[in-house]
Amino acid sequence: MSTQSTQVPSIAPASVPSQPTLLMCPPRFYDVSYVINPWMAGNLHAASQHRATQQWNGLYKALCNIAKVVLIEPHPSLPDMVFTANAGLHQGDFVIPTRFSCPERRFEETFFRRWFLDSGYTLIDLPDSISFEGEGDALFSSDVPRLWAGWGMRTQQGSHAFLAQALDVEVISLRLVDPRFYHLDTCFAPLTDGYVMYFPGAFDAEALARIRQLHHPDRCIPVSLADASRFACNAINIGRDILLNQVSRELFDRLSQEGFNVTALPLDEFIKAGGAAKCLVMQLGPAVPPPLD
């Protein structure tokens, strides 16, 4: 099983591979089967399986041009397993697995843990009493050894000290205050070269001050409520490439002017469940098994 113990191993930050590896899960059983966030309300069983598959395939193919993508098999009783960002947080040879706050998703933990162990990762387990939802609420800066960690909706702030010790990294706690933006990756995207894209209305005053304090003003890209509602901040950033849901021309042009290659893809079927591009991937290191056939 895992390496759970009272002693938290300290690990050095891993070097960033030239071509990162991403974990995805095909949307074979994707649906809106329950309501655990505001986006799901009114969308029970309203997602089109056909369109969701088309949209996921479009993202998968685009990512395969710039990254290595590996797959985990979906499970028929787990419609949200497609959102692999919530599986855990990876660093080096270690993964800190998720402890979901919502009972509807807790069974996913078994399948993700098994995949990580079968893939050769060592698991560092949080205490049973602390909820933590992986990359949904924990995002590394690309330019400095810093972890941005959200709390207040799904992840408990008590997990942050554990993450800092386990990963030997500075952790910046950001309190989320808008239920629509229940995970950090729905409203905050650290980008290459010290840029950040964020929706100000998702954070309390202290969190906003920290975001602005630790980024140069010229590299802060606040987004409107309209673009935040299109999950603009739920973006995948690899080098100078950004993949996201379709957003406003204004935001598309701003990112392009800053030197980013922006690929906007329709992902509205997944927004019905409260996710988009970043929710559909978990970033891993280079040593993982090949994709499933």
Side-chain angles (χ1 to χ4, degrees), residues 3 5-11 96 124-125 127 161-167:
T3 59
S5 69
T6 56
Q7 293 285 329
V8 177
S10 179
I11 59 176
I96 300 176
I124 306 174
D125 284 317
F162 182 97
L163 296 174
Q165 182 182 356
L167 302 178

Side-chain angles (χ1 to χ4, degrees), residues 130-132 136-141 145-153 155-165 169-177 183-185 187-188 202-215:
I130 298 179
S131 62
F132 168 67
D137 274 326
L139 298 166
F140 285 103
S141 288
R146 176 178 294 144
L147 182 68
W148 301 90
W151 68 281
M153 299 291 169
T155 292
Q156 292 175 303
Q157 190 180 23
S159 65
H160 295 179
F162 182 97
L163 296 174
Q165 182 182 356
V169 68
E170 178 189 20
V171 174
I172 306 297
S173 295
L174 302 176
R175 186 177 184 182
L176 305 175
V177 296
H183 275 151
L184 184 64
D185 70 355
C187 53
F188 180 87
F203 301 95
D204 71 3
E206 182 179 353
L208 272 180
R210 293 294 278 157
I211 292 169
R212 291 164 177 165
Q213 175 190 10
L214 294 171
H215 293 90

Side-chain angles (χ1 to χ4, degrees), residues 95-114:
V95 170
I96 300 176
T98 283
R99 291 198 183 279
F100 283 109
S101 62
C102 298
E104 290 87 348
R105 296 197 65 182
R106 286 179 191 155
F107 196 41
E108 293 178 36
E109 297 174 18
T110 299
F111 295 93
F112 283 121
R113 288 176 67 87
R114 183 181 303 157

Side-chain angles (χ1 to χ4, degrees), residues 65 78-79 85 94 99 103 128 145 162 210 217 219 260-261 269:
N65 291 325
L78 301 173
F94 295 82
R99 291 198 183 279
D128 292 344
F162 182 97
R210 293 294 278 157
R219 302 204 172 191
F260 290 101
N261 305 311
E269 289 302 321

Side-chain angles (χ1 to χ4, degrees), residues 1 12-13 63 90 103 108 117 133 152 154 172 212 235 239 241 264-265 284 286 293:
M1 292 298 292
L63 287 171
H90 163 265
E108 293 178 36
L117 290 169
E133 300 206 351
R154 300 287 189 82
I172 306 297
R212 291 164 177 165
D241 291 298
L265 300 162
L284 297 169
D293 293 331

Side-chain angles (χ1 to χ4, degrees), residues 34-288:
Y34 39 71
V35 175
I36 57 173
N37 66 58
W39 305 95
M40 290 175 156
N43 279 318
L44 281 173
H45 305 298
S48 164
Q49 175 63 226
H50 177 69
R51 291 194 71 241
T53 300
Q54 286 184 321
Q55 292 179 0
W56 186 92
N57 283 338
L59 178 64
Y60 172 79
K61 290 175 182 177
L63 287 171
C64 285
N65 291 325
I66 57 174
K68 179 180 179 181
V69 181
V70 296
L71 304 178
I72 183 172
E73 278 283 358
H75 189 279
S77 66
L78 301 173
D80 277 346
M81 195 171 167
V82 68
F83 298 121
T84 56
N86 305 137
L89 180 66
H90 163 265
Q91 182 70 300
D93 295 326
F94 295 82
V95 170
I96 300 176
T98 283
R99 291 198 183 279
F100 283 109
S101 62
C102 298
E104 290 87 348
R105 296 197 65 182
R106 286 179 191 155
F107 196 41
E108 293 178 36
E109 297 174 18
T110 299
F111 295 93
F112 283 121
R113 288 176 67 87
R114 183 181 303 157
W115 191 91
F116 293 135
L117 290 169
D118 289 347
S119 301
Y121 293 104
T122 298
L123 303 187
I124 306 174
D125 284 317
L126 285 145
D128 292 344
S129 60
I130 298 179
S131 62
F132 168 67
E133 300 206 351
E135 282 186 356
D137 274 326
L139 298 166
F140 285 103
S141 288
S142 64
D143 55 336
V144 293
R146 176 178 294 144
L147 182 68
W148 301 90
W151 68 281
M153 299 291 169
R154 300 287 189 82
T155 292
Q156 292 175 303
Q157 190 180 23
S159 65
H160 295 179
F162 182 97
L163 296 174
Q165 182 182 356
L167 302 178
D168 190 22
V169 68
E170 178 189 20
V171 174
I172 306 297
S173 295
L174 302 176
R175 186 177 184 182
L176 305 175
V177 296
D178 187 328
R180 293 171 297 180
F181 304 100
Y182 58 94
H183 275 151
L184 184 64
D185 70 355
T186 66
C187 53
F188 180 87
L191 305 175
T192 297
D193 295 333
Y195 284 87
V196 64
M197 184 164 53
Y198 66 103
F199 172 55
F203 301 95
D204 71 3
E206 182 179 353
L208 272 180
R210 293 294 278 157
I211 292 169
R212 291 164 177 165
Q213 175 190 10
L214 294 171
H215 293 90
H216 190 280
D218 292 343
R219 302 204 172 191
C220 286
I221 305 175
V223 307
S224 66
L225 175 59
D227 271 326
S229 299
R230 299 183 185 102
F231 277 51
C233 298
N234 197 243
I236 301 166
N237 176 215
I238 299 174
R240 280 281 160 178
D241 291 298
I242 294 179
L243 293 83
L244 38 58
N245 182 51
Q246 292 173 327
V247 295
S248 69
R249 171 54 62 179
E250 179 183 11
L251 180 58
F252 186 99
D253 289 346
R254 169 70 193 278
L255 292 169
S256 298
Q257 289 164 8
E258 299 295 345
F260 290 101
N261 305 311
V262 184
T263 301
L265 300 162
L267 294 166
D268 52 287
E269 289 302 321
F270 297 100
I271 291 178
K272 293 174 182 177
K278 178 63 192 77
C279 288
L280 294 167
V281 305
M282 176 183 175
Q283 187 155 340
L284 297 169
V288 292

